Amino acid sequence: MDGFYYIYVLLSEKDGKKYTGYTSDLPLRFEAHQKGKVPSTKHRRPLKLIYFEACLSQEDALKREKYLKTHYGKMYLGNRLKSYLSCQTKSENK
């Protein structure tokens, strides 16, 4: 899938917090996160990829990443991932 830029959200299985980023190579970037090569998530492993979007330009991807990090962007993701996140909460409470 050449030519795409990906915005992605990772969920830390350690602290339950989310990390949002962007990349042109999602599998390679996720592998870097998993191996502890990304300082901002190094101590929050293991991580799960829970969401991603593809954009045709780097500029659009950067704008979308910036938006998803805002209050309204976090609300959007919360609604978009509502069923997934509620399943995670239920399984943790068992």
Side-chain angles (χ1 to χ4, degrees), residues 58-68:
Q58 184 177 15
E59 182 182 355
D60 286 346
L62 284 167
K63 285 179 184 175
R64 186 67 173 157
E65 178 196 23
K66 191 172 183 178
Y67 169 74
L68 291 176

Side-chain angles (χ1 to χ4, degrees), residues 65-83:
E65 178 196 23
K66 191 172 183 178
Y67 169 74
L68 291 176
K69 290 180 176 181
T70 68
H71 174 72
Y72 292 109
K74 289 176 184 177
M75 285 176 40
Y76 168 82
L77 283 171
N79 287 327
R80 185 82 170 91
L81 300 171
K82 189 179 289 187
S83 61

Side-chain angles (χ1 to χ4, degrees), residues 9-22:
V9 179
L10 303 176
L11 178 66
S12 167
E13 294 185 62
K14 184 175 182 180
D15 62 18
K17 294 182 180 178
K18 294 181 226 39
Y19 171 87
T20 303
Y22 99 98

Side-chain angles (χ1 to χ4, degrees), residues 1-46:
M1 291 241 198
D2 290 335
F4 285 98
Y5 293 86
Y6 301 92
I7 303 93
Y8 60 93
V9 179
L10 303 176
L11 178 66
S12 167
E13 294 185 62
K14 184 175 182 180
D15 62 18
K17 294 182 180 178
K18 294 181 226 39
Y19 171 87
T20 303
Y22 99 98
T23 184
S24 61
D25 188 335
L26 188 56
L28 189 65
R29 185 66 174 159
F30 183 61
E31 184 180 328
H33 281 287
Q34 292 292 68
K35 290 182 175 179
K37 295 180 179 180
V38 181
S40 53
T41 59
K42 183 178 183 174
H43 300 292
R44 297 171 62 194
R45 296 176 296 152

